[in-house]
Amino acid sequence: MIAYTISWTDPNEHLLDITISFTAPADEPRLTLPAWRPGRYLIQNYAANIRQCAAADSGGDPLDIRKDAKSSWRISAKAGQELTVRYRYYAGILDAGSSFLDESEAYCNGSNLFMMVEGLRHEQTRLTVAAPAEWRIETQLPREDENTFVARDYDHLIDSPTIAAPSFRRHSFLESGAAIHLIFIGAETIDTDQFIDPVHAIVRSQSKMFGGLPFSEYRFLTHIGEKWHGVEHEASCSIVAKRSDLLGAKKDDAGYDHFLLICSHEFFHLWNVKRILPAVFAPYDYSAETLTRLLWVIEGVTSYFAALTLVRAGLWTEKRYLKHLGSEIETLENQPGREILSLSQASFDSWLQNDAHDRANALISFYNKGEMVAATLDLTILQRSDGSKSLDDVMRLLWRDQKPLEEDGFERAVVSICDVGDFFERYVHGTDPLPHQES
């Protein structure tokens, strides 16, 4: 078993101390740190945050450790040696996909923090969070004791964000035999009780759509911060909710609606991407770009069902939903890039996004247009099947039969449910305007 430990000395330095103990699987063992994380399809080069990397044998004698590429290191050791690697990681930015440390919390995303020992990716892993004794810890990982957790393998470890803090709010409820927890950090001035029943309704609605929940326990890990951001995980999600939008917010306010929408979006990812996984991600290559034309399915279809769930759960009226849809249509129509970039190409080119590029005129959001295409596709299926089929049936088919999802798997699933003619050629692979724009 590989052992990882997170600790720190002065939290206001924003430096997490990481220790990895393992048996060398080969001579000159190699360790790598991800260059990107699932859910954000852009190279982020987390190795830039690594400091003071050192290695030692079982007796504590130092060993040479050197970089052999931008995100990998080799140790001068022999196969079978017991080794320990230590390094510090700068954790000074708080968003849903980052790692962060200050005196109020340690928020740890393994995709940022943990090097993988080549040859041991599939080994069981133990994680120890050496937090102060009075701090509490929340993570989707199974708990071994108060501050120790066990992951199936490296991929499970880095897909399991962990929060340690002296205090936070925790609301819980049961649905379909599973325990759901809402964890709020920094929410002292926010009314979090008002979200329990609505989030429960979201969970119930999506569980009904798929015929149950694929876990026994789930956590919404929410920070009250300075932006909106969310990231999906196997049995949890990470959310940053904008404080100024939630202060005093009540039912039907913009901040209230936004929080429910982001919860619905991240929860739907339980099926769409965390389990209905594009084949190119099986397994993930964390070292380099992994190109797929399915990001619009991953994110756009999820966005469509996230908003639709709020209607089905009784949280939004039809009028409120149409207002949302109108706003998304307006956003799309104000993007000049829709006339030159197809939706599938926008997915494929996600890795090229850069603030130095002509984003305003040459790019489109596969979230935004993907949602509009998903809505149009659902209406097309309903119309052509005389209301007997819908996009729900496509998602249930994918959940049941098509994991991992090949590049043409979504289209094949749609066609097996209903003949939609040249829909994909026009609206996904082409730049034809959506039907509402033609009228």
Side-chain angles (χ1 to χ4, degrees):
M1 181 179 284
I2 311 170
Y4 290 79
T5 300
I6 302 171
S7 61
W8 56 89
T9 50
D10 183 353
N12 292 311
E13 291 182 341
H14 307 302
L15 292 173
L16 290 166
D17 295 312
I18 310 299
T19 302
I20 311 173
S21 299
F22 61 98
T23 303
D27 292 348
E28 296 279 312
R30 188 169 187 250
L31 288 77
T32 62
L33 189 71
W36 65 282
R37 60 170 176 78
R40 180 70 168 122
Y41 307 101
L42 193 67
I43 295 296
Q44 295 187 284
N45 292 321
Y46 300 118
N49 290 323
I50 297 288
R51 304 181 184 179
Q52 297 170 257
C53 193
D57 62 19
S58 59
D61 293 327
L63 298 170
D64 180 57
I65 182 169
R66 64 195 184 282
K67 293 192 78 171
D68 67 343
K70 69 174 183 177
S71 298
S72 64
W73 294 256
R74 284 197 182 274
I75 305 172
S76 296
K78 296 293 185 181
Q81 277 190 274
E82 299 296 323
L83 305 177
T84 299
V85 172
R86 293 184 173 86
Y87 53 90
R88 312 193 87 187
Y89 186 93
Y90 175 72
I93 296 174
L94 178 60
D95 64 35
S98 69
S99 292
F100 180 76
L101 174 68
D102 69 7
E103 60 188 5
S104 66
E105 70 168 302
Y107 174 52
C108 304
N109 265 294
S111 55
N112 310 170
L113 293 176
F114 299 137
M115 295 181 186
M116 176 178 69
V117 182
E118 287 194 352
L120 300 182
R121 179 171 182 167
H122 303 296
E123 296 293 316
Q124 192 178 54
T125 297
R126 177 178 287 114
L127 172 65
T128 300
V129 182
E134 68 276 13
W135 284 32
R136 298 157 63 195
I137 302 170
E138 289 285 349
T139 180
Q140 69 181 19
L141 290 172
R143 188 183 293 267
E144 188 173 83
D145 59 34
E146 194 64 28
N147 65 343
T148 304
F149 307 85
V150 177
R152 295 187 305 270
D153 52 27
Y154 177 80
D155 295 275
H156 188 208
L157 173 72
I158 71 168
D159 186 47
S160 302
T162 299
I163 294 177
S167 64
F168 45 72
R169 289 187 190 167
R170 191 178 200 262
H171 309 293
S172 301
F173 58 83
L174 296 175
E175 176 57 42
S176 302
I180 317 294
H181 310 290
L182 281 69
I183 312 299
F184 290 92
I185 301 287
E188 292 78 12
T189 57
I190 307 295
D191 177 9
T192 58
D193 289 356
Q194 66 180 324
F195 296 119
I196 302 171
D197 289 342
V199 172
H200 193 166
I202 289 167
V203 171
R204 184 186 302 116
S205 176
Q206 293 185 12
S207 173
K208 181 179 178 181
M209 176 179 169
F210 285 101
L213 296 172
F215 55 75
S216 59
E217 194 169 18
Y218 184 91
R219 288 168 172 80
F220 291 89
L221 302 174
T222 302
H223 296 82
I224 306 301
E226 306 307 319
K227 62 170 71 174
W228 287 102
H229 189 211
V231 179
E232 68 277 4
H233 300 283
E234 179 181 312
S236 65
C237 65
S238 297
I239 295 171
V240 175
K242 193 172 183 179
R243 183 181 304 276
S244 59
D245 288 351
L246 286 185
L247 281 171
K250 57 186 182 302
K251 188 177 185 302
D252 297 329
D253 287 348
Y256 179 97
D257 280 357
H258 200 150
F259 181 73
L260 296 185
L261 191 60
I262 201 169
C263 286
S264 185
H265 182 103
E266 301 310 331
F267 197 73
F268 197 83
H269 272 312
L270 275 172
W271 295 274
N272 194 23
V273 83
K274 295 315 297 182
R275 288 163 177 83
I276 306 171
L277 181 71
V280 295
F281 294 151
Y284 284 106
D285 178 357
Y286 303 113
S287 68
E289 297 90 339
T290 304
L291 305 178
T292 175
R293 299 185 189 277
L294 290 173
L295 295 187
W296 79 270
V297 175
I298 292 172
E299 298 296 353
V301 171
T302 295
S303 293
Y304 171 63
F305 278 108
L308 193 60
T309 293
L310 299 188
V311 181
R312 292 173 171 177
L315 303 172
W316 277 7
T317 63
E318 180 180 316
K319 181 179 180 180
R320 175 66 185 89
Y321 175 71
L322 291 176
K323 180 181 177 182
H324 164 80
L325 208 60
S327 177
E328 292 299 316
I329 291 170
E330 183 178 2
T331 296
L332 177 60
E333 290 184 333
N334 286 328
Q335 291 182 332
R338 64 186 168 82
E339 298 181 349
I340 60 174
L341 187 65
S342 72
L343 185 53
S344 62
Q345 194 64 43
S347 298
F348 197 80
D349 288 347
S350 170
W351 301 89
L352 297 177
Q353 291 187 20
N354 188 300
D355 289 339
H357 299 160
D358 187 14
R359 297 167 63 96
N361 296 301
L363 298 179
I364 59 171
S365 166
F366 50 79
Y367 287 79
N368 166 247
K369 186 175 181 181
E371 181 178 356
M372 296 303 94
V373 167
T376 306
L377 178 59
D378 200 7
L379 290 171
T380 300
I381 296 171
L382 286 163
Q383 181 183 47
R384 294 200 175 200
S385 69
D386 293 325
S388 65
K389 300 292 182 182
S390 72
L391 195 54
D392 289 42
D393 295 291
V394 175
M395 297 309 297
R396 283 191 286 263
L397 175 63
L398 295 177
W399 170 234
R400 186 178 71 243
D401 296 338
Q402 297 198 33
K403 305 186 289 292
L405 184 64
E406 300 295 339
E407 287 295 291
D408 64 346
F410 183 78
E411 294 180 35
R412 286 192 287 107
V414 170
V415 171
S416 71
I417 294 295
C418 179
D419 179 9
V420 294
D422 62 354
F423 184 94
F424 289 99
E425 287 74 17
R426 297 182 65 187
Y427 305 126
V428 175
H429 305 302
T431 57
D432 280 12
L434 296 178
H436 78 273
Q437 295 170 288
E438 298 172 332
S439 59

